[in-house]
Amino acid sequence: MIDTALNPAIEPTPIPLGEWLPWAVFGGLLALLALYFVGSEQGATSLFQGMYVHEFVHDGRHLLGFPCH
């Protein structure tokens, strides 16, 4: 009797595709944006003038293996 009281049979319910798909797309876009800023925000493809973004993500570039100098 104690075993059934402590371990109730809870059935997991699946999450519908319509609920998690927008969050997955949003996360993917954020990841691509972060990859752009870490990987290629300098030189000809620069969105911002100066080297502020490059210097901000400089150590992350080396950590991820992007060459920058």
Side-chain angles (χ1 to χ4, degrees), residues 54-64:
H54 172 79
E55 292 301 325
F56 183 72
V57 297
H58 186 85
D59 292 337
R61 294 174 62 86
H62 291 296
L63 179 69
L64 295 173

Side-chain angles (χ1 to χ4, degrees), residues 37-61:
F37 277 111
V38 171
S40 61
E41 177 57 32
Q42 68 177 16
T45 61
S46 179
L47 294 178
F48 301 104
Q49 285 214 327
M51 297 294 285
Y52 299 112
V53 175
H54 172 79
E55 292 301 325
F56 183 72
V57 297
H58 186 85
D59 292 337
R61 294 174 62 86

Side-chain angles (χ1 to χ4, degrees), residues 6-35:
L6 295 178
N7 297 324
I10 298 174
E11 302 240 352
T13 58
I15 301 173
L17 180 68
E19 286 186 27
W20 67 266
L21 185 61
W23 289 104
V25 170
F26 178 68
L29 289 175
L30 282 179
L32 285 175
L33 184 66
L35 185 66

